[in-house]
């Protein structure tokens, strides 16, 4: 019997909390991760038959601990020191505190290079697949798998690497990047039949709200929350009646969540007295300009281009340059945008967004053949069904349809 959506959502919410409890107590990440997966599998079977236990979190912890104890007993010679800890009973009544945020800090371990810590956290706690993480960082899946494997191995060589660090402020930057990547994957899914994964986007916003409650004066925490809210406010307008993708320039802006936009703008405004210096603040400012444009024609492309220039200076990134190329095309024409795109063609060669934006800009120039070729290339490169269908439709209609407004490469 399959689990209900309610149970699936509950298991997704509880999994990182249970993992956090186990790794803090016992210090073995790999063993804890395997045990939690076994406990989740047991829950999907048993809860479907017997119903939810009175304390689902405590139930999962007990089952996962038993799995860990079984594994430890099979490796007594190598893990004798940990065995005594693992076989102790865990009380059924456990703290109601949400351990998920702590787990993000614990995984962003200072013994790891930032890229490894972020990748490991996204895989183990964030719920992203290796392929999704690789797509986010523009590297092959095999490369990302090796990065995660090295991070796990390095932690396994440390003495109780998860014993502390849940409140280590030096790890905050990595945690923010993890939350940003999870939200981005949730807002615009890189694969599958849906445009978005609402569970991931909602969880990223929830955790960022929790972090903001802890650090209300931190500019980048506030900026990231503002960015998420301003971007997520468009969700209702991003798909049509059959789930088809609706790009930003075609969206019905009356369907945007005005209350969420107001909250995002309020948060962004609160960061401005100190100056717009952080990358999430700056990206939120871009999202805010889109949100405040009543019509696509009202978009302040000059300010958007200037903001992307600031982001690029602070954190050089080919995807940021691609976004700046879009704004440049809207200000100075598609030829200027295409010239700028050429500067990041190599690092973005694996991303369908490069070909998609090129297709839009070639369409603006009237070069139909080049536009069709780029749309088809982008459709071939993307693993997202709605994006593939949208790109193929653009290519098919190009010869008879009117010239389109260029869309941004950022999440729609």
């Amino acid at each position: 019997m399959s689990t209900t959506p309610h149970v699936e959502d509950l298991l997704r919410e509880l999994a990182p909390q249970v993992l956090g409890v186990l790794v803090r107590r016992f210090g073995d990440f790999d063993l804890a991760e395997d045990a939690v997966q076994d406990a989740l599998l047991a829950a999907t079977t048993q809860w479907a038959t017997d119903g939810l236990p009175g304390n689902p979190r405590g139930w999962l912890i007990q089952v996962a601990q038993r799995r860990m104890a079984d594994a430890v007993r099979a490796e007594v010679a190598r893990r004798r020191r940990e065995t005594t800890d693992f076989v102790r009973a865990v009380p059924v009544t456990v703290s109601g505190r949400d351990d998920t945020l702590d787990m993000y800090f614990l995984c962003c371990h200072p013994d790891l290079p930032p890229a490894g810590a972020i990748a490991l956290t996204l895989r183990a706690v964030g719920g992203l697949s290796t392929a999704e993480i690789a797509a986010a960082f523009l590297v092959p899946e095999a490369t990302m798998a090796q990065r995660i494997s090295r991070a796990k191995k390095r932690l396994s060589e440390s003495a109780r690497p998860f014993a502390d660090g849940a409140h280590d402020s030096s790890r905050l930057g990595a945690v923010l990047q993890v939350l940003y990547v999870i939200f981005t994957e949730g807002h615009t899914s890189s694969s599958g039949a849906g445009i978005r994964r609402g569970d991931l986007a909602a969880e990223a916003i929830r955790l960022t709200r929790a972090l903001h409650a802890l650090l209300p004066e931190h500019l980048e925490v506030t900026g990231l929350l503002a960015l998420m809210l301003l971007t997520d406010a468009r969700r209702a307008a991003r798909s049509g009646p059959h789930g088809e993708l609706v790009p930003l320039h075609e969206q019905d802006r009356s369907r945007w969540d005005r209350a969420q936009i107001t909250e995002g703008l309020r948060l962004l405004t609160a960061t401005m007295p100190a100056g717009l210096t952080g990358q999430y603040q700056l990206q939120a400012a871009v999202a805010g300009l889109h949100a405040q444009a009543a019509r696509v024609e009202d978009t302040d492309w000059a300010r958007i281009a200037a903001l992307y220039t600031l982001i690029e200076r602070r954190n050089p990134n080919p995807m940021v340059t691609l976004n700046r190329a879009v704004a440049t095309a809207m200000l100075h024409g598609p030829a200027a945008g295409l010239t700028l795109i050429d500067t990041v063609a190599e690092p973005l060669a694996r991303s369908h967004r490069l070909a998609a934006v090129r297709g839009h800009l070639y369409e603006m120039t009237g070069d139909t053949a080049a536009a069709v070729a780029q749309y088809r290339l982008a459709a071939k490169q993307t693993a997202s069904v709605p994006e593939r269908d949208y790109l193929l439709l653009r290519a098919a209609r190009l010869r008879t349809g009117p010239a389109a407004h260029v869309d941004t490469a950022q999440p729609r």
Side-chain angles (χ1 to χ4, degrees), residues 10-236:
L10 179 61
L11 291 175
R12 177 181 292 276
E13 177 184 347
L14 292 176
Q17 299 180 29
V18 174
L19 182 61
V21 170
L22 295 180
V23 296
R24 276 203 303 273
R25 286 181 181 172
F26 310 129
D28 192 313
F29 187 92
D30 283 339
L31 204 57
E33 188 178 29
D34 291 343
V36 170
Q37 291 302 314
D38 287 346
L40 294 175
L41 181 60
T44 59
T45 303
Q46 189 166 331
W47 294 2
T49 303
D50 302 340
L52 288 177
N55 183 351
R57 185 171 179 269
W59 190 96
L60 287 170
I61 290 173
Q62 285 189 318
V63 172
Q65 182 184 253
R66 285 198 292 269
R67 297 294 193 275
M68 292 185 76
D70 291 342
V72 169
R73 292 189 187 101
E75 302 177 9
V76 169
R78 187 167 64 89
R79 298 185 179 271
R80 187 178 302 275
R81 180 173 61 85
E82 290 89 353
T83 300
T84 300
D85 291 334
F86 281 117
V87 297
R88 291 184 303 178
V90 175
V92 174
T93 303
V94 294
S95 168
R97 182 171 64 90
D98 185 352
D99 292 295
T100 307
L101 196 55
D102 285 354
M103 192 60 200
Y104 280 81
F105 277 88
L106 290 167
C107 280
C108 292
H109 199 280
D111 283 356
L112 300 176
I118 291 167
L120 175 62
T121 308
L122 287 166
R123 182 69 185 91
V125 191
L128 299 191
S129 68
T130 303
E132 290 166 343
I133 302 169
F137 289 93
L138 305 175
V139 300
E141 183 176 353
T143 299
M144 185 55 67
Q146 292 175 354
R147 186 178 297 176
I148 294 171
S149 178
R150 286 195 299 268
K152 287 185 176 182
K153 183 176 185 297
R154 188 161 181 174
L155 286 184
S156 71
E157 295 170 350
S158 300
R160 298 186 65 80
F162 300 104
D164 53 30
H167 304 286
D168 186 347
S169 61
S170 68
R171 308 182 189 191
L172 180 59
V175 171
L176 291 176
Q177 188 168 355
V178 168
L179 292 171
Y180 172 75
V181 172
I182 292 173
F183 173 79
T184 301
E185 177 62 29
H187 182 73
T188 304
S189 182
S190 61
S191 62
I195 292 173
R196 67 189 297 269
R197 291 179 60 182
D199 55 339
L200 288 181
E203 178 68 355
I205 292 174
R206 184 185 72 82
L207 290 171
T208 306
R209 282 192 185 279
L211 189 56
H212 181 255
L214 293 172
L215 301 169
E217 304 300 323
H218 195 285
L219 298 181
E220 277 291 73
V221 173
T222 305
L224 180 58
L225 180 56
L227 171 61
M228 289 181 178
L229 293 174
L230 291 166
T231 305
D232 188 64
R234 302 196 294 264
R235 67 183 180 278

Side-chain angles (χ1 to χ4, degrees), residues 357-372:
V357 173
R358 273 179 165 163
H360 280 298
L361 299 190
Y362 279 127
E363 184 176 353
M364 289 177 68
T365 68
D367 191 339
T368 300
V372 169

